[in-house]
Amino acid sequence: FPSHDIGRVLIESFQEVGHRLAPDFVAFSPANVVEMGINIVLMTIKRSSFIDIGLSLMLFVCAIIILLCYVLIALEMTVLIVNSYVTVSGGIVMMGFLGSEWTKDHAINYFTAVLGVAVRMFVMQLILILGYGFIEKWTVKLTDASKDLDYLVLLSVAIVFYGMIREIPSMAASLVSSRFTMG
């Protein structure tokens, strides 16, 4: 079993576990995250009217910031996916270090790195599942009769959602490497 196959199987198995936790959830991809953001933005813009320009301007600014949060979440996912490909592909080179007693630790650290990437993807997937469920329930409650403050709360939730996607997977991966950081 070549090392890159082991790394790929490890990452895919963590993704499968995440998928089995929420089988009805959309696939783990940046495009789906941007689509979620666009759906929320469209719903927010539908609420605006030409009669109340102040409200429409506030909703437009909220919609732009919400979309920006979702685009940044998609960026984090894309970076993580590319990171997984680079890490798995780099394993081929790292396995060459197994031939010497002095360099075998580099090869063993490769598997720790792959496990860290797998855990980051798994935790990001869990946060997406939980966050999307919360945001979806919140947006379903928004109707034409909703208060304007509800949209500001939705904006706040999108910002917190992005912050969680940005920080928590890295903290979980640091537990795998036994170098826990709260950066």
Side-chain angles (χ1 to χ4, degrees):
F1 229 71
S3 63
H4 63 281
D5 287 340
I6 294 172
R8 196 172 302 121
V9 166
L10 184 63
I11 290 172
E12 288 172 358
S13 65
F14 271 85
Q15 284 184 318
E16 179 64 25
V17 169
H19 178 69
R20 287 185 184 198
L21 289 174
D24 297 334
F25 188 69
V26 294
F28 183 75
S29 79
N32 290 336
V33 171
V34 172
E35 185 180 343
M36 288 188 314
I38 289 172
N39 289 338
I40 293 172
V41 166
L42 290 175
M43 194 167 66
T44 305
I45 289 176
K46 282 182 189 175
R47 171 76 166 96
S48 64
S49 69
F50 290 111
I51 297 171
D52 191 355
I53 295 176
L55 172 66
S56 298
L57 185 62
M58 181 199 72
L59 291 175
F60 180 74
V61 170
C62 285
I64 293 298
I65 294 172
I66 288 170
L67 184 60
L68 180 65
C69 287
Y70 277 88
V71 167
L72 289 172
I73 290 170
L75 174 69
E76 292 286 329
M77 286 179 72
T78 303
V79 167
L80 186 55
I81 291 168
V82 170
N83 184 355
S84 73
Y85 284 115
V86 169
T87 303
V88 168
S89 299
I92 298 168
V93 174
M94 296 311 292
M95 289 301 105
F97 290 114
L98 276 174
S100 171
E101 182 69 30
W102 297 315
T103 58
K104 73 174 184 177
D105 289 337
H106 296 292
I108 293 171
N109 286 339
Y110 160 72
F111 290 108
T112 304
V114 170
L115 185 59
V117 170
V119 167
R120 281 179 65 195
M121 289 181 96
F122 175 69
V123 170
M124 185 179 284
Q125 196 172 4
L126 288 180
I127 294 170
L128 279 170
I129 291 166
L130 295 173
Y132 180 71
F134 177 78
I135 290 172
E136 184 180 42
K137 287 178 187 174
W138 187 268
T139 54
V140 165
K141 290 180 183 178
L142 294 176
T143 62
D144 290 337
S146 295
K147 298 180 182 108
D148 303 334
L149 187 61
D150 292 343
Y151 290 95
L152 292 175
V153 171
L154 185 61
L155 170 66
S156 302
V157 168
I159 292 170
V160 169
F161 189 43
Y162 167 66
M164 288 173 42
I165 288 287
R166 181 170 170 80
E167 297 298 325
I168 294 175
S170 296
M171 289 187 325
S174 70
L175 286 174
V176 170
S177 67
S178 71
R179 287 177 242 138
F180 183 69
T181 58
M182 287 292 288

